[in-house]
Amino acid sequence: MNAPAAAKHLLPEIHLRPVPQALLDALAARFGAQCSTAQAVREQHGRDEGSLKAPPPSAVVFAETTQDVADAVKLAAQHDVPVIPYGAGSSLEGHLLAVQGGISIDVNRMNRVLSVDADDLTVTVQPGITRKQLNDAIKDTGLFFPIDPGADASIGGMCATRASGTNAVRYGTMRENVLALEVVTAGGEAIRTGTRAKKSAAGYDLTRLMVGSEGTLGVITEVTVRLYPLPEAVSAAICSFPSIEAAVRTTIQTIQLGVPIARVELIDAHTVRMVNAHSKLGLREEPMLLMEFHGSPAGVKEQAEVVQEIAAEFGGNAFEWATTPEERTRLWTARHNAYFAAVQSRPGCRAISTDTCVPISRLADCLLDSVTEADASGIPYFLVGHVGDGNFHFGYLIDPESAEERLKAEDLNHQLVARALRLGGTCTGEHGVGLHKMGFLLDETGAGAVDMMRAIKRALDPKNILNPGKIFAL
């Protein structure tokens, strides 16, 4: 393995490519009011929820059809101008930043459910629909889409970043749940990958190639995903622990015993305090596991009893059950708002978020040493984790104008990633590489693998117009 990368990417590298007036005129002629060069619109589409900044794109095209996307890409390709797909804007690693200039293609208006095939447990949607909109649209079918990254992200964006989230321990990630795609290539051609069949051995797996490609290989315009029956019974519980280690050991033993828990989230004491203030809750300000069980009434009861016994062995106490939808929503809303609660706890701050994931057997080793480092740094932070699959996030809350604080937070992040890689883990479990983790990707995969990725990128995007400057330098 390569030595860990030195602390870098404190600011993105900006290499703006010219956007000729002829392209802007052509976009205006083709799209009319669907194309905007207004400063406020451009700035909105030139940032995400992360801490990095770059100049905004030169124009924004609001696509309403696959043909709109194809025409926008064709026009950009004629002028060698970058295109950056835009969904909900909830990414964290600088995915949306126009570091080489260009135009943004906003797919939010492409938010329809195209077909529901309940008998086959699949649905085909446009990329701009969000996960909440999708589940609202199919709620009368008795089915649901389980991938929950926390933010109400768009399905297309979730495909692009290979998202997962709180339900991944039971239902997997976008990698396992995307069956087929429609994608506009760098030349402006719409192609289809995959089918609604559960399996296929027909040629290269282009669907998996596109899932996680972060907009660098194509613009996703349709998605077919798996659905699951709504569980007959759902129960949620919170349990407080005397230490983070006790909560983590409980999680590890639960997974190793094969308990089919649907969600198990770690929230540290700092985060509980922030969530209490933000959501007006009265949770015990100790390390906490927030859990959810799906299945039959008897199965849910058995799972919960097993986990409660395990927790008791590690000092877990104050179990609080939430069996009604309203109670469960209250708890999970608080968890989903943890990021915003943390940011509001230090007005004006930005969060540098980590995203390591390690084998479950090494979770305690990685997490506890990282907590020690964070505590010693003096940087305010929050800690949440989808610990059932070994994934956790620190959010270092920094003053964005303080170079010293940013450097200290980046150093913490580098130490954490280096530790995760030594333990057989990854630099990003679900956020993607974007700009922020490009150096880490080389550390994790090695030069040969990155060179292969570059070769694929050059073959599919010879003009390097599809979200250039992300994942690796080219």
Side-chain angles (χ1 to χ4, degrees), residues 247-287:
V248 171
R249 297 293 181 192
T250 297
T251 302
I252 293 172
Q253 189 160 331
T254 296
I255 300 302
Q256 291 179 341
L257 283 176
V259 178
I261 193 167
R263 291 171 163 177
V264 54
E265 296 285 298
L266 171 69
I267 309 175
D268 80 323
H270 298 303
T271 311
V272 174
R273 191 175 307 115
M274 295 169 184
V275 165
N276 277 342
H278 178 269
S279 300
K280 305 298 187 290
L281 299 177
L283 302 173
R284 292 172 62 128
E285 295 183 353
E286 298 175 342

Side-chain angles (χ1 to χ4, degrees), residues 21 91 140 160 244 338 347 447:
Q21 186 62 43
S91 57
D140 60 346
I244 290 176

Side-chain angles (χ1 to χ4, degrees), residues 364-409:
D365 299 331
C366 190
L367 183 52
L368 297 175
D369 287 347
S370 301
V371 167
T372 299
E373 289 174 349
D375 286 339
S377 74
I379 293 283
Y381 70 90
F382 66 98
L383 170 60
V384 296
H386 319 308
V387 287
D389 51 19
N391 188 198
F392 61 91
H393 312 290
F394 282 88
Y396 304 116
L397 303 175
I398 66 163
D399 176 353
E401 305 303 320
S402 171
E404 179 183 357
E405 288 192 11
R406 180 177 287 276
L407 181 60
K408 187 178 291 188

Side-chain angles (χ1 to χ4, degrees), residues 3 71-72 124 187 214 228 237 250 317 401 433 451 457 462 465 467 471:
D71 288 348
T124 299
E214 302 182 18
Y228 295 80
T250 297
N317 59 79
E401 305 303 320
V433 175
D451 285 344
K457 169 71 169 171
I465 66 168
N467 207 12
I471 303 183

